[in-house]
Amino acid sequence: MIHPGAARMLTRPATSPDTATAIALRGIVKEFPLRRGATVRALDGLDLEIAHGEFVALLGPSGCGKSTVLRLVAGLEQATEGTVSVEGAGPADLIRSHRLGVAFQEHALLPWATVRDNIALPFRVAGRPVDHERVAALISLVGLRGFETARPRQLSGGMRQRVAIARALALAPDVLLLDEPFGALDAVTRRRMNLELARIWAEQHITTLLVTHDVDEAVLLADRVVVMTGRPGRVRHVREIAIPRPRGTDVTRDPGFHAIVDELTALLDDPEEAP
Ligand code: ADP
Ligand code: MG
């Protein structure tokens, strides 16, 4: 017999700030070695917390360290100073337990494998039996039914991106990291993909950190937009996006949406530091 509150406790964290935090970066300094012992400081005192089920978009000038933040959370880089915790542990634990879904700009699909096999890949990597029902459900979720046996080269750029996102979702991750996942797409396809991701996310509510340089995309998708300073990067401004969900095409025609986009664009165009 399960306690009536147990199901809720299993799906939703308690309200205390510590357990509500899915990702925490505290006092992050990241330096990269250059030649002859010199270093470049990519991040300098970055603090960022992301709540369970929250969608945060990271905006900032090119080279400010956005990808570095994602790579730190993904455990692909180590911080020079500061701490990174994901689901209360280090990134390595999350990776070991396959609870992290990642889609970066270079989507790296296996060219010889079908859509179905590309999406099933994480099961094989994790040494788990492929959940064919889930793979089929993901194919529907990203609108690729009928293309199960197609190879990547037979797909458009937008369809390949959708395969990459479905693959990132394959093992029902707790945390989704997206680095410019639509960067290579034309504006129309990109907007379509944004709406697609908004729809998928409305169904799954996975803690998501999206790096983008597209302000519209950030405002359309995120609960909070975090604007970084130029290199060395740290958090310059945080903007809550209170636009109700689900957010569809109508949102992008709303004056309130454009007001937020203009506000954030002005901030990005302004090289001055916020006080
Ligand atoms: P963004 O994604 O915001 O464009 P990055 O995180 O890729 O920025 O890079 C931030 C800074 O760190 C840049 O100046 C970049 O040149 C530097 N950098 C990133 N990765 C490395 C690396 N592996 N070695 C040396 N410098 C790096
Ligand atoms: Mg980058």
Side-chain angles (χ1 to χ4, degrees):
M1 170 78 188
I2 295 175
H3 184 272
R8 185 160 33 85
M9 276 157 38
L10 287 172
T11 51
R12 274 279 143 191
T15 46
S16 92
D18 270 4
T19 50
T21 303
I23 301 174
L25 296 117
R26 297 203 174 93
I28 300 295
V29 173
K30 177 62 185 174
E31 290 178 342
F32 290 105
L34 296 175
R35 274 183 299 172
R36 298 198 199 103
T39 58
V40 58
R41 187 166 280 221
L43 298 171
D44 191 8
L46 179 122
D47 292 296
L48 179 62
E49 285 195 6
I50 301 175
H52 279 283
E54 190 183 22
F55 193 127
V56 169
L58 209 51
L59 277 176
S62 179
C64 75
K66 301 182 293 299
S67 295
T68 302
V69 170
L70 239 63
R71 293 174 61 80
L72 286 163
V73 177
L76 298 167
E77 300 279 359
Q78 300 294 313
T80 309
E81 284 174 36
T83 57
V84 179
S85 81
V86 191
E87 298 290 342
D93 294 298
L94 208 71
I95 293 159
R96 259 197 301 278
S97 52
H98 304 282
R99 287 184 294 145
L100 184 71
V102 173
F104 290 170
Q105 186 174 347
E106 306 74 25
H107 38 75
L109 302 179
L110 301 177
W112 61 85
T114 63
V115 165
R116 190 187 279 138
D117 287 343
N118 266 291
I119 295 172
L121 181 68
F123 288 99
R124 305 208 157 93
V125 170
R128 296 183 192 172
V130 175
D131 181 341
H132 295 286
E133 262 177 46
R134 178 159 178 85
V135 171
L138 285 165
I139 288 171
S140 297
L141 186 70
V142 297
L144 285 174
R145 275 173 71 179
F147 293 91
E148 288 84 352
T149 57
R151 304 286 194 288
R153 71 181 144 73
Q154 297 170 300
L155 304 175
S156 69
M159 291 161 98
R160 284 198 291 264
Q161 305 270 18
R162 279 186 269 165
V163 175
I165 287 172
R167 188 178 57 184
L169 294 169
L171 299 180
D174 294 335
V175 173
L176 189 60
L177 303 177
L178 305 170
D179 193 352
E180 307 257 12
F182 313 124
L185 303 180
D186 63 274
V188 174
T189 312
R190 183 174 193 138
R191 177 49 54 88
R192 206 177 297 138
M193 282 299 303
N194 288 165
L195 293 167
E196 198 94 38
L197 181 60
R199 186 181 59 78
I200 291 169
W201 193 82
E203 288 178 20
Q204 312 261 321
H205 271 271
I206 303 165
T207 306
T208 303
L209 182 54
L210 166 79
V211 164
T212 179
H213 62 258
D214 185 320
V215 181
D216 285 49
E217 180 171 291
V219 176
L220 180 62
L221 291 169
D223 297 313
R224 270 192 307 150
V225 176
V226 172
V227 182
M228 289 174 66
T229 64
R231 185 168 54 96
R234 62 184 173 282
V235 173
R236 175 178 176 183
H237 184 73
V238 178
R239 178 64 158 91
E240 301 271 345
I241 313 294
I243 301 170
R245 296 180 189 272
R247 301 176 187 167
T249 26
D250 46 330
V251 168
T252 61
R253 287 191 288 266
D254 184 79
F257 173 85
H258 289 287
I260 300 172
V261 169
D262 288 349
E263 174 195 318
L264 291 171
T265 304
L267 198 64
L268 285 168
D269 287 345
D270 169 19
E272 288 298 302
E273 283 295 291

